[in-house]
Amino acid sequence: MQYTRAVSQEEQARLLQEFAVDAAKSFLQAAADARAAMAELYPHSPDLKRYWDKFEITEEELEELIVLLTQRRKRPLKRHQAKEIASSGDASAPG
């Protein structure tokens, strides 16, 4: 890696390993923080549980979530009922 000032290949390998571990820790912490922030919305949006109640959401789900949260910014205190999620992941299933 050209941006490190390692004095040896061993030191460079150690730095790269440290960077990789730090990056993984940062990602996992950001994901946990995002899930916790989503869970804080539970009193008004229990239907969002499908986004915070799993380890990782797909890119498609992320796009849906962004649209949904953007729409809800207009009426943040409106309550949104929880919906049962069909096994196929269809959020429109009756609840």
Side-chain angles (χ1 to χ4, degrees):
M1 182 173 204
Q2 64 186 6
Y3 301 108
T4 61
R5 294 194 180 263
V7 294
S8 67
Q9 286 185 334
E10 293 81 16
E11 178 68 10
Q12 184 172 1
R14 187 192 65 76
L15 287 172
L16 291 176
Q17 177 69 23
E18 188 176 315
F19 291 155
V21 169
D22 288 347
K25 285 180 182 179
S26 293
F27 171 81
L28 292 173
Q29 186 60 54
D33 291 346
R35 286 192 307 276
M38 292 292 300
E40 290 286 326
L41 297 173
Y42 182 79
H44 294 284
S45 296
D47 63 323
L48 297 178
K49 183 176 182 181
R50 72 187 194 115
Y51 297 105
W52 81 72
D53 200 25
K54 58 183 173 177
F55 178 72
E56 190 174 281
I57 63 174
T58 65
E59 199 168 312
E60 181 180 292
E61 289 171 321
L62 179 60
E63 290 177 21
E64 294 169 3
L65 177 60
I66 290 169
V67 168
L68 188 60
L69 291 174
T70 301
Q71 291 170 348
R72 290 190 181 173
R73 286 181 70 185
K74 296 173 185 167
R75 297 187 63 202
L77 299 180
K78 180 182 177 197
R79 292 190 180 270
H80 304 276
Q81 298 300 314
K83 296 177 185 174
E84 186 174 320
I85 306 302
S87 61
S88 66
D90 181 12
S92 62

XYZ file of all heavy atoms in Angstrom:
761
model
N 0.853 -1.170 0.000
C 0.000 0.000 0.000
C 0.897 1.231 0.000
O 1.730 1.396 0.876
C -0.924 -0.035 1.218
C -1.881 1.101 1.284
S -3.028 0.819 2.649
C -4.359 1.790 2.078
N 0.702 2.095 -0.935
C 1.597 3.229 -1.110
C 1.396 4.340 -0.090
O 2.223 5.231 0.016
C 1.438 3.792 -2.514
C 0.064 4.364 -2.795
C -0.090 4.781 -4.244
O 0.785 4.539 -5.055
N -1.194 5.397 -4.566
N 0.320 4.327 0.673
C 0.039 5.416 1.609
C 0.549 5.140 3.022
O 0.392 5.960 3.895
C -1.459 5.709 1.659
C -1.988 6.089 0.303
C -2.793 5.220 -0.410
C -1.643 7.304 -0.278
C -3.268 5.566 -1.667
C -2.109 7.654 -1.538
C -2.925 6.780 -2.214
O -3.383 7.124 -3.454
N 1.106 4.004 3.241
C 1.663 3.689 4.559
C 3.171 3.882 4.519
O 3.799 3.804 3.473
C 1.352 2.233 4.960
O 1.949 1.362 4.013
C -0.138 1.993 5.037
N 3.726 4.128 5.674
C 5.181 4.294 5.768
C 5.779 3.110 6.530
O 6.500 3.293 7.499
C 5.510 5.605 6.469
C 5.102 6.809 5.674
C 5.761 8.039 6.253
N 5.387 9.212 5.518
C 6.105 9.755 4.553
N 7.245 9.224 4.207
N 5.681 10.828 3.926
N 5.445 1.943 6.073
C 5.966 0.739 6.704
C 7.439 0.593 6.375
O 7.885 0.857 5.270
C 5.189 -0.480 6.231
N 8.206 0.167 7.370
C 9.647 0.007 7.171
C 10.010 -1.360 6.611
O 11.139 -1.572 6.194
C 10.421 0.254 8.488
C 10.279 1.708 8.909
C 9.949 -0.675 9.577
N 9.018 -2.275 6.591
C 9.277 -3.608 6.059
C 7.975 -4.178 5.495
O 6.891 -3.659 5.752
C 9.812 -4.531 7.161
O 8.791 -4.764 8.122
N 8.115 -5.265 4.769
C 6.925 -5.920 4.233
C 6.049 -6.473 5.354
O 4.830 -6.452 5.262
C 7.327 -7.033 3.270
C 7.833 -6.508 1.942
C 8.106 -7.636 0.961
O 8.382 -8.757 1.344
N 8.025 -7.306 -0.327
N 6.691 -6.955 6.411
C 5.941 -7.485 7.551
C 5.124 -6.377 8.207
O 3.959 -6.562 8.563
C 6.879 -8.130 8.581
C 7.563 -9.389 8.104
C 8.789 -9.118 7.225
O 9.307 -7.973 7.212
O 9.215 -10.045 6.521
N 5.740 -5.214 8.361
C 5.042 -4.075 8.958
C 3.887 -3.626 8.055
O 2.802 -3.304 8.526
C 6.015 -2.910 9.189
C 5.380 -1.658 9.753
C 4.870 -1.795 11.181
O 5.150 -2.807 11.843
O 4.181 -0.871 11.635
N 4.120 -3.614 6.756
C 3.063 -3.241 5.826
C 1.909 -4.242 5.900
O 0.745 -3.849 5.907
C 3.596 -3.158 4.398
C 2.543 -2.668 3.425
C 3.100 -2.386 2.048
O 4.279 -2.578 1.790
N 2.250 -1.922 1.169
N 2.220 -5.527 5.961
C 1.183 -6.554 6.073
C 0.385 -6.367 7.363
O -0.845 -6.491 7.375
C 1.802 -7.941 6.020
N 1.078 -6.053 8.450
C 0.404 -5.824 9.736
C -0.525 -4.606 9.647
O -1.665 -4.652 10.112
C 1.422 -5.607 10.847
C 0.790 -5.530 12.246
C 1.758 -5.030 13.300
N 2.166 -3.652 13.088
C 1.402 -2.584 13.357
N 0.186 -2.728 13.809
N 1.860 -1.375 13.148
N -0.040 -3.541 9.015
C -0.867 -2.339 8.864
C -2.105 -2.614 8.008
O -3.208 -2.166 8.336
C -0.048 -1.202 8.252
C 0.991 -0.555 9.158
C 1.854 0.419 8.363
C 0.325 0.150 10.319
N -1.917 -3.341 6.921
C -3.048 -3.680 6.062
C -4.072 -4.527 6.811
O -5.284 -4.326 6.677
C -2.577 -4.385 4.794
C -1.788 -3.526 3.807
C -1.285 -4.367 2.643
C -2.642 -2.371 3.306
N -3.586 -5.474 7.606
C -4.481 -6.302 8.421
C -5.235 -5.429 9.428
O -6.436 -5.568 9.612
C -3.685 -7.389 9.148
C -4.518 -8.244 10.073
C -5.482 -9.136 9.332
O -5.280 -9.462 8.163
N -6.539 -9.545 9.993
N -4.537 -4.512 10.050
C -5.151 -3.609 11.029
C -6.216 -2.738 10.350
O -7.300 -2.537 10.892
C -4.070 -2.731 11.664
C -4.557 -1.904 12.825
C -3.409 -1.135 13.474
O -2.334 -1.732 13.692
O -3.610 0.052 13.753
N -5.906 -2.225 9.154
C -6.879 -1.418 8.414
C -8.121 -2.244 8.083
O -9.246 -1.754 8.187
C -6.271 -0.868 7.125
C -5.217 0.179 7.320
C -4.258 0.383 6.349
C -5.158 0.967 8.474
C -3.278 1.360 6.509
C -4.180 1.935 8.643
C -3.233 2.134 7.659
N -7.930 -3.480 7.667
C -9.057 -4.340 7.314
C -9.932 -4.621 8.533
O -11.164 -4.575 8.455
C -8.552 -5.648 6.702
N -9.309 -4.891 9.662
C -10.061 -5.145 10.891
C -10.815 -3.893 11.311
O -12.003 -3.948 11.663
C -9.118 -5.642 12.013
C -9.820 -5.656 13.363
C -8.585 -7.034 11.679
N -10.152 -2.747 11.256
C -10.801 -1.488 11.626
C -11.982 -1.189 10.702
O -13.032 -0.729 11.155
C -9.808 -0.330 11.593
C -8.812 -0.362 12.739
O -9.020 -1.129 13.705
O -7.818 0.384 12.667
N -11.818 -1.461 9.419
C -12.901 -1.225 8.461
C -14.089 -2.139 8.762
O -15.247 -1.695 8.733
C -12.413 -1.434 7.032
N -13.828 -3.397 9.063
C -14.903 -4.337 9.390
C -15.612 -3.911 10.671
O -16.846 -3.922 10.739
C -14.346 -5.754 9.529
N -14.841 -3.506 11.684
C -15.448 -3.038 12.936
C -16.310 -1.800 12.694
O -17.409 -1.689 13.236
C -14.368 -2.713 13.967
C -13.721 -3.919 14.589
C -12.664 -3.479 15.598
C -11.941 -4.636 16.221
N -10.906 -4.201 17.168
N -15.818 -0.885 11.885
C -16.574 0.333 11.573
C -17.875 0.006 10.855
O -18.927 0.570 11.160
C -15.743 1.283 10.712
O -14.645 1.774 11.433
N -17.808 -0.917 9.900
C -19.010 -1.317 9.176
C -20.025 -1.943 10.122
O -21.211 -1.594 10.099
C -18.666 -2.309 8.057
C -19.889 -2.908 7.427
C -20.596 -2.208 6.464
C -20.341 -4.160 7.821
C -21.745 -2.749 5.903
C -21.481 -4.707 7.262
C -22.190 -4.005 6.299
N -19.574 -2.880 10.950
C -20.485 -3.553 11.874
C -21.099 -2.569 12.871
O -22.290 -2.655 13.191
C -19.761 -4.684 12.606
C -19.353 -5.861 11.710
C -18.492 -6.846 12.491
C -20.580 -6.546 11.125
N -20.315 -1.608 13.353
C -20.831 -0.613 14.285
C -21.841 0.298 13.593
O -22.893 0.607 14.161
C -19.704 0.225 14.887
C -20.182 1.180 15.972
C -20.832 0.464 17.142
O -20.244 -0.433 17.735
N -22.057 0.837 17.468
N -21.562 0.710 12.368
C -22.501 1.554 11.620
C -23.807 0.804 11.364
O -24.893 1.388 11.479
C -21.872 2.007 10.308
N -23.721 -0.465 11.034
C -24.925 -1.265 10.801
C -25.737 -1.393 12.094
O -26.961 -1.261 12.080
C -24.547 -2.647 10.263
N -25.061 -1.629 13.210
C -25.755 -1.730 14.499
C -26.395 -0.399 14.870
O -27.534 -0.359 15.353
C -24.779 -2.179 15.585
N -25.692 0.697 14.635
C -26.241 2.024 14.930
C -27.468 2.303 14.067
O -28.457 2.872 14.547
C -25.188 3.106 14.706
C -24.057 3.073 15.716
O -24.184 2.387 16.763
O -23.027 3.723 15.452
N -27.408 1.916 12.807
C -28.545 2.131 11.904
C -29.748 1.306 12.350
O -30.879 1.810 12.367
C -28.160 1.780 10.468
N -29.518 0.045 12.731
C -30.627 -0.786 13.220
C -31.214 -0.197 14.493
O -32.437 -0.156 14.666
C -30.159 -2.224 13.448
C -29.951 -3.004 12.163
C -29.773 -4.498 12.396
N -28.736 -4.827 13.350
C -27.450 -4.937 13.066
N -27.028 -4.725 11.838
N -26.583 -5.243 13.993
N -30.388 0.295 15.391
C -30.871 0.895 16.633
C -31.682 2.157 16.349
O -32.726 2.387 16.967
C -29.701 1.215 17.557
N -31.223 2.965 15.410
C -31.963 4.181 15.052
C -33.325 3.821 14.460
O -34.335 4.462 14.775
C -31.155 5.021 14.062
N -33.363 2.789 13.632
C -34.638 2.352 13.062
C -35.565 1.828 14.154
O -36.758 2.098 14.148
C -34.399 1.258 12.025
C -33.682 1.718 10.782
S -34.667 2.821 9.789
C -36.048 1.780 9.440
N -35.015 1.105 15.108
C -35.825 0.562 16.194
C -36.422 1.679 17.048
O -37.513 1.519 17.598
C -34.985 -0.381 17.056
N -35.754 2.810 17.132
C -36.283 3.956 17.877
C -37.594 4.453 17.269
O -38.383 5.109 17.944
C -35.267 5.102 17.902
C -34.058 4.826 18.754
C -34.348 4.894 20.244
O -35.194 5.721 20.647
O -33.741 4.117 20.988
N -37.817 4.157 16.005
C -39.042 4.586 15.330
C -40.229 3.682 15.640
O -41.343 3.953 15.210
C -38.820 4.631 13.812
C -37.770 5.620 13.328
C -37.537 5.434 11.832
C -38.187 7.044 13.636
N -40.016 2.617 16.408
C -41.063 1.626 16.649
C -42.394 2.210 17.110
O -43.442 1.799 16.614
C -40.582 0.567 17.653
C -41.621 -0.485 17.888
C -41.803 -1.513 16.971
C -42.470 -0.434 18.989
C -42.777 -2.469 17.150
C -43.452 -1.386 19.172
C -43.609 -2.398 18.257
O -44.582 -3.341 18.414
N -42.431 3.165 18.040
C -43.735 3.664 18.502
C -44.621 4.210 17.377
O -45.837 4.133 17.457
C -43.370 4.769 19.490
C -42.013 4.408 19.970
C -41.333 3.778 18.775
N -44.021 4.749 16.347
C -44.810 5.319 15.256
C -44.775 4.483 13.987
O -45.623 4.659 13.116
C -44.335 6.741 14.946
C -44.594 7.668 16.077
N -45.839 8.159 16.349
C -43.779 8.151 17.038
C -45.783 8.924 17.422
N -44.547 8.930 17.855
N -43.817 3.610 13.862
C -43.682 2.825 12.634
C -43.262 1.392 12.919
O -42.182 0.956 12.523
C -42.659 3.490 11.705
O -43.097 4.746 11.280
N -44.133 0.627 13.588
C -43.760 -0.770 13.835
C -43.601 -1.569 12.547
O -42.956 -2.610 12.545
C -44.905 -1.307 14.697
C -46.038 -0.375 14.477
C -45.441 0.955 14.150
N -44.136 -1.069 11.441
C -43.995 -1.768 10.168
C -42.561 -1.751 9.654
O -42.204 -2.519 8.770
C -44.931 -1.171 9.113
C -44.623 0.279 8.792
O -44.256 1.045 9.712
O -44.759 0.658 7.619
N -41.712 -0.901 10.227
C -40.308 -0.843 9.796
C -39.456 -1.944 10.428
O -38.280 -2.066 10.115
C -39.707 0.525 10.120
C -40.341 1.716 9.405
C -39.687 3.012 9.868
C -40.255 1.568 7.910
N -40.062 -2.749 11.292
C -39.308 -3.803 11.973
C -38.592 -4.720 10.976
O -37.489 -5.175 11.236
C -40.222 -4.631 12.864
C -39.474 -5.684 13.640
C -40.377 -6.426 14.594
C -39.555 -7.432 15.359
N -40.346 -8.208 16.286
N -39.181 -4.922 9.813
C -38.555 -5.815 8.831
C -37.204 -5.289 8.367
O -36.387 -6.037 7.850
C -39.466 -6.055 7.637
C -39.626 -4.879 6.712
C -40.691 -5.179 5.656
N -40.640 -4.233 4.576
C -40.323 -4.546 3.332
N -40.026 -5.787 3.015
N -40.310 -3.638 2.397
N -36.942 -4.006 8.564
C -35.651 -3.437 8.184
C -34.628 -3.519 9.318
O -33.453 -3.698 9.067
C -35.813 -1.974 7.752
C -36.664 -1.797 6.525
C -37.954 -1.308 6.623
C -36.177 -2.141 5.267
C -38.739 -1.143 5.490
C -36.961 -1.983 4.133
C -38.244 -1.486 4.255
O -39.013 -1.326 3.129
N -35.052 -3.365 10.557
C -34.071 -3.369 11.630
C -33.913 -4.720 12.302
O -32.981 -4.926 13.062
C -34.373 -2.307 12.688
C -35.420 -2.650 13.713
C -35.295 -3.550 14.739
C -36.711 -2.088 13.842
N -36.429 -3.586 15.477
C -37.320 -2.687 14.949
C -37.413 -1.134 13.142
C -38.599 -2.360 15.366
C -38.682 -0.809 13.555
C -39.256 -1.419 14.652
N -34.788 -5.642 11.992
C -34.784 -6.915 12.702
C -33.989 -7.994 11.975
O -34.259 -9.164 12.112
C -36.223 -7.373 12.917
C -36.343 -8.401 14.022
O -35.474 -8.412 14.913
O -37.291 -9.196 13.987
N -33.027 -7.586 11.186
C -32.139 -8.557 10.553
C -30.767 -7.930 10.403
O -30.608 -6.715 10.519
C -32.686 -9.036 9.209
C -32.941 -7.966 8.193
C -33.539 -8.624 6.966
C -33.982 -7.629 5.951
N -34.489 -8.266 4.757
N -29.794 -8.750 10.165
C -28.408 -8.277 10.158
C -28.128 -7.273 9.055
O -27.473 -6.266 9.257
C -27.445 -9.460 10.051
C -26.003 -9.041 9.990
C -25.374 -8.547 11.117
C -25.297 -9.109 8.800
C -24.049 -8.137 11.061
C -23.978 -8.703 8.738
C -23.356 -8.219 9.876
N -28.621 -7.552 7.858
C -28.292 -6.705 6.715
C -29.478 -6.658 5.765
O -30.150 -7.660 5.564
C -27.071 -7.284 6.004
C -26.482 -6.393 4.948
C -25.196 -6.979 4.401
O -24.162 -6.853 5.065
O -25.248 -7.566 3.315
N -29.736 -5.474 5.202
C -30.802 -5.374 4.220
C -30.189 -5.300 2.825
O -29.046 -4.902 2.663
C -31.729 -4.165 4.484
C -30.991 -2.841 4.364
C -32.402 -4.283 5.832
C -31.895 -1.639 4.477
N -30.990 -5.693 1.854
C -30.496 -5.698 0.478
C -30.469 -4.275 -0.074
O -31.077 -3.357 0.483
C -31.395 -6.558 -0.420
O -32.684 -5.945 -0.498
C -31.508 -7.988 0.100
N -29.802 -4.111 -1.183
C -29.748 -2.803 -1.831
C -31.149 -2.356 -2.241
O -31.507 -1.191 -2.106
C -28.823 -2.869 -3.040
C -28.351 -1.517 -3.502
C -27.221 -1.613 -4.510
O -26.254 -2.364 -4.270
O -27.330 -0.927 -5.527
N -31.951 -3.298 -2.722
C -33.334 -2.988 -3.106
C -34.136 -2.524 -1.891
O -34.887 -1.546 -1.962
C -33.982 -4.214 -3.742
C -35.417 -3.985 -4.190
C -36.003 -5.237 -4.816
O -35.547 -5.623 -5.897
O -36.906 -5.815 -4.192
N -33.993 -3.235 -0.773
C -34.694 -2.846 0.452
C -34.233 -1.477 0.933
O -35.045 -0.686 1.422
C -34.466 -3.882 1.557
C -35.165 -5.191 1.324
C -34.753 -6.251 2.314
O -33.554 -6.323 2.677
O -35.632 -7.007 2.739
N -32.957 -1.197 0.785
C -32.434 0.098 1.205
C -33.087 1.220 0.405
O -33.482 2.242 0.959
C -30.916 0.144 1.065
C -30.260 1.459 1.465
C -30.533 1.790 2.921
C -28.766 1.403 1.196
N -33.219 1.022 -0.898
C -33.872 2.029 -1.730
C -35.319 2.230 -1.300
O -35.793 3.364 -1.187
C -33.784 1.629 -3.204
C -32.373 1.730 -3.752
C -32.264 1.260 -5.193
O -33.297 1.221 -5.895
O -31.140 0.935 -5.604
N -36.037 1.127 -1.022
C -37.422 1.209 -0.552
C -37.492 1.974 0.765
O -38.371 2.818 0.960
C -38.003 -0.189 -0.328
C -38.171 -1.023 -1.564
C -38.500 -2.476 -1.232
O -38.651 -2.823 -0.036
O -38.601 -3.273 -2.175
N -36.582 1.661 1.658
C -36.558 2.289 2.970
C -36.312 3.788 2.864
O -36.977 4.589 3.531
C -35.489 1.635 3.849
C -35.299 2.236 5.230
C -36.582 2.166 6.048
C -34.161 1.536 5.947
N -35.401 4.187 2.017
C -35.110 5.610 1.843
C -36.335 6.346 1.326
O -36.694 7.420 1.829
C -33.888 5.811 0.927
C -32.626 5.350 1.650
C -33.764 7.273 0.495
C -31.401 5.256 0.767
N -37.021 5.769 0.346
C -38.242 6.384 -0.184
C -39.293 6.479 0.916
O -39.924 7.529 1.110
C -38.773 5.590 -1.398
C -40.175 6.037 -1.781
C -37.830 5.727 -2.575
N -39.481 5.406 1.650
C -40.478 5.365 2.718
C -40.188 6.404 3.795
O -41.073 7.167 4.206
C -40.517 3.958 3.327
C -41.609 3.660 4.328
C -42.977 3.837 3.691
C -41.446 2.242 4.845
N -38.957 6.471 4.255
C -38.606 7.441 5.297
C -38.729 8.878 4.797
O -39.140 9.768 5.537
C -37.199 7.174 5.820
C -37.036 5.888 6.620
C -35.570 5.667 6.962
C -37.895 5.903 7.867
N -38.389 9.096 3.532
C -38.528 10.435 2.951
C -39.994 10.846 2.926
O -40.334 11.977 3.278
C -37.924 10.475 1.536
O -36.539 10.115 1.626
C -38.038 11.854 0.922
N -40.870 9.927 2.551
C -42.306 10.221 2.541
C -42.810 10.515 3.952
O -43.607 11.421 4.152
C -43.088 9.036 1.964
C -42.874 8.819 0.499
C -43.476 7.494 0.027
O -43.856 6.635 0.822
N -43.531 7.328 -1.287
N -42.316 9.769 4.915
C -42.808 9.916 6.286
C -42.291 11.160 6.984
O -42.831 11.562 8.004
C -42.468 8.665 7.089
C -43.305 7.511 6.598
C -43.201 6.329 7.475
N -44.024 5.262 6.909
C -44.055 4.040 7.376
N -43.336 3.725 8.427
N -44.810 3.138 6.812
N -41.270 11.780 6.453
C -40.775 13.030 7.041
C -41.857 14.102 7.012
O -41.872 14.998 7.840
C -39.552 13.537 6.289
C -38.306 12.750 6.577
C -37.130 13.308 5.840
N -36.773 14.593 6.427
C -35.851 15.391 5.954
N -35.203 15.056 4.866
N -35.574 16.517 6.532
N -42.766 14.000 6.050
C -43.813 15.001 5.908
C -44.828 14.921 7.043
O -45.414 15.931 7.415
C -44.512 14.834 4.559
C -43.574 15.089 3.389
C -44.229 14.764 2.069
C -43.191 14.913 0.959
N -43.636 14.346 -0.293
N -45.059 13.729 7.582
C -46.005 13.537 8.679
C -45.363 12.607 9.709
O -45.775 11.457 9.858
C -47.305 12.934 8.157
C -48.016 13.872 7.176
C -49.371 13.380 6.784
N -50.251 13.326 7.952
C -51.322 12.556 8.004
N -51.660 11.795 7.000
N -52.085 12.551 9.085
N -44.371 13.089 10.453
C -43.594 12.201 11.330
C -44.364 11.601 12.504
O -43.943 10.591 13.041
C -42.467 13.104 11.826
C -43.008 14.485 11.699
C -43.908 14.463 10.499
N -45.483 12.177 12.899
C -46.196 11.647 14.061
C -47.353 10.732 13.694
O -48.016 10.189 14.564
C -46.695 12.796 14.941
C -45.568 13.676 15.500
C -46.153 14.783 16.361
C -44.558 12.868 16.282
N -47.604 10.538 12.402
C -48.644 9.605 11.988
C -48.183 8.192 12.334
O -47.039 7.830 12.125
C -48.888 9.720 10.487
C -49.960 8.767 9.992
C -50.148 8.862 8.494
C -51.171 7.820 8.076
N -51.146 7.559 6.667
N -49.104 7.404 12.867
C -48.767 6.022 13.206
C -48.946 5.118 11.995
O -49.913 5.240 11.261
C -49.623 5.516 14.353
C -49.289 6.214 15.643
C -49.966 5.523 16.805
N -49.626 6.208 18.021
C -48.587 5.922 18.777
N -47.793 4.944 18.432
N -48.345 6.588 19.883
N -48.020 4.213 11.801
C -48.050 3.262 10.691
C -48.108 1.868 11.282
O -47.234 1.481 12.059
C -46.820 3.423 9.802
C -46.680 4.821 9.280
N -47.339 5.246 8.160
C -46.004 5.889 9.765
C -47.056 6.520 7.954
N -46.257 6.930 8.907
N -49.119 1.125 10.931
C -49.334 -0.196 11.508
C -48.318 -1.212 10.997
O -47.867 -1.127 9.861
C -50.744 -0.692 11.172
C -51.831 0.182 11.750
C -51.767 0.262 13.263
O -51.620 -0.755 13.942
N -51.862 1.456 13.808
N -48.017 -2.157 11.854
C -47.132 -3.249 11.453
C -47.857 -4.105 10.429
O -49.063 -4.286 10.495
C -46.748 -4.089 12.667
N -47.114 -4.620 9.470
C -47.665 -5.498 8.446
C -46.934 -6.823 8.514
O -45.729 -6.853 8.676
C -47.462 -4.893 7.051
C -48.187 -3.600 6.830
C -47.859 -3.053 5.452
C -48.474 -1.688 5.263
N -48.061 -1.091 3.992
N -47.679 -7.890 8.380
C -47.041 -9.200 8.333
C -46.346 -9.346 6.991
O -46.884 -8.977 5.955
C -48.092 -10.294 8.499
C -47.493 -11.672 8.615
C -48.544 -12.711 8.921
O -49.437 -12.426 9.719
O -48.447 -13.792 8.331
N -45.144 -9.866 7.019
C -44.358 -10.025 5.802
C -44.501 -11.457 5.315
O -44.230 -12.405 6.059
C -42.870 -9.694 6.053
C -42.728 -8.314 6.669
C -42.069 -9.813 4.767
C -43.300 -7.187 5.852
N -44.927 -11.619 4.075
C -45.036 -12.950 3.484
C -43.651 -13.557 3.359
O -42.654 -12.836 3.299
C -45.720 -12.866 2.117
N -43.573 -14.847 3.266
C -42.276 -15.517 3.190
C -41.468 -15.081 1.979
O -40.254 -15.168 1.970
C -42.454 -17.039 3.178
O -43.196 -17.416 2.050
N -42.139 -14.567 0.950
C -41.408 -14.111 -0.228
C -40.821 -12.729 -0.021
O -40.119 -12.207 -0.889
C -42.349 -14.064 -1.444
O -43.342 -13.071 -1.235
N -41.101 -12.108 1.149
C -40.586 -10.785 1.412
C -41.521 -9.694 0.952
O -41.212 -8.532 0.982
N -42.749 -10.071 0.525
C -43.745 -9.119 0.040
C -44.351 -8.372 1.216
O -45.022 -8.967 2.047
C -44.812 -9.845 -0.762
C -45.862 -8.919 -1.324
O -45.657 -7.675 -1.284
O -46.903 -9.436 -1.809
N -44.149 -7.061 1.291
C -44.646 -6.255 2.399
C -46.124 -5.961 2.269
O -46.732 -5.434 3.176
C -43.872 -4.944 2.472
N -46.769 -6.318 1.163
C -48.168 -5.988 0.970
C -49.101 -7.059 1.503
O -50.300 -6.934 1.391
C -48.450 -5.749 -0.517
O -48.200 -6.936 -1.254
N -48.551 -8.096 2.094
C -49.385 -9.175 2.629
C -50.226 -8.637 3.770
O -49.785 -7.782 4.532
C -48.508 -10.332 3.119
N -51.458 -9.112 3.913
C -52.317 -8.615 4.990
C -51.743 -8.959 6.345
O -51.092 -9.981 6.526
C -53.651 -9.329 4.739
C -53.332 -10.495 3.860
C -52.075 -10.165 3.116
N -51.977 -8.107 7.306
C -51.401 -8.321 8.621
C -52.361 -8.451 9.715
O -53.501 -8.430 9.726
